[in-house]
Amino acid sequence: GTNARAIFLRLIKKHRGKDKDIFFTLEEQARMRMEYTIYGSVHPEKIVMEAYERLKSYTKSGVFIFSLGLDNFGHVWVIEKQFKKGNPTPRYHQYQSCFRSHMVMDFLAFKNYGEHPEQSLDIDDFFKKLHDLFIWKGPWTNKQYRIFSELFAFLPVYPIAEGKPSIGFTSIMY
């Protein structure tokens, strides 16, 4: 999670001004504090859809950070929505690392954003699959592990026995 948080903050600083400290309004600070918790998610699938709807509704570029919990396992990742001048269609980039699996640079090389910055995550497919994981009840089958590995390019370090997910997110519009 440390790498994801650093990427989240660095993207904000980059887009809000190179010479300024990272600045959040008091309203943003209060909203982020309220949103970014993963404990006690009664209906995590609804939180997934809320995040998707907010991401789709942003009319300016911005960045989201997500944390999920599954049994005794967690993951943190970032999705950036970017609008480029002259192109009304946004592109989405995912940033993440995974302890004992891959570093951020490995994931970026895998996504090949450097050579193809116009490449975009299929955000509709990503959130459909994430939603499917969050509505599953009970121990994971090969299908849930396959979906997870498609979304995050690694497998959970422990078997998912209960399938009681929790999720939190927050976002900043640049």
Side-chain angles (χ1 to χ4, degrees):
T2 303
N3 286 327
R5 288 176 193 86
I7 290 168
F8 179 73
L9 295 172
R10 187 68 183 157
L11 287 169
I12 294 165
K13 183 171 183 166
K14 176 185 178 237
H15 291 282
R16 286 196 167 176
K18 293 181 182 180
D19 298 328
K20 298 179 184 175
D21 289 332
I22 296 173
F23 176 78
F24 300 113
T25 66
L26 293 176
E27 292 81 13
E28 286 173 331
Q29 290 176 38
R31 178 183 52 79
M32 291 169 66
R33 195 174 300 116
M34 182 185 72
E35 286 175 340
Y36 195 61
T37 179
I38 66 168
Y39 304 105
S41 301
V42 178
H43 296 286
E45 71 281 359
K46 290 181 181 177
I47 297 170
V48 168
M49 296 316 297
E50 179 186 329
Y52 172 70
E53 289 165 9
R54 183 176 312 161
L55 186 63
K56 294 289 280 191
S57 74
Y58 268 26
T59 57
K60 294 185 349 185
S61 296
V63 62
F64 284 66
I65 187 166
F66 300 86
S67 293
L68 70 80
L70 295 163
D71 291 353
N72 57 357
F73 166 77
H75 184 56
V76 183
W77 75 99
V78 171
I79 294 178
E80 182 182 30
K81 181 176 185 173
Q82 288 187 350
F83 288 94
K84 291 297 181 183
K85 290 180 183 175
N87 188 351
T89 304
R91 68 177 190 225
Y92 300 91
H93 285 178
Q94 179 182 10
Y95 304 94
Q96 66 172 22
S97 62
C98 174
F99 184 61
R100 295 189 181 138
S101 177
H102 58 267
M103 297 183 306
V104 175
M105 296 307 297
D106 297 327
F107 189 76
L108 294 177
F110 169 70
K111 291 293 188 176
N112 204 13
Y113 295 146
E115 287 188 37
H116 302 284
E118 74 287 349
Q119 185 172 308
S120 182
L121 175 68
D122 182 340
I123 206 68
D124 300 319
D125 183 60
F126 182 91
F127 274 93
K128 181 193 176 310
K129 289 176 178 175
L130 189 61
H131 182 263
D132 289 350
L133 281 182
F134 276 60
I135 59 173
W136 180 260
K137 304 293 181 223
W140 276 16
T141 67
N142 285 340
K143 179 181 178 180
Q144 285 73 45
Y145 288 110
R146 182 182 48 77
I147 291 170
F148 186 91
S149 69
E150 288 172 10
L151 296 176
F152 302 113
F154 72 95
L155 288 170
V157 293
Y158 302 105
I160 306 301
E162 295 183 42
K164 293 182 180 177
S166 57
I167 187 166
F169 78 96
T170 193
S171 61
I172 290 291
M173 203 175 322
Y174 303 141

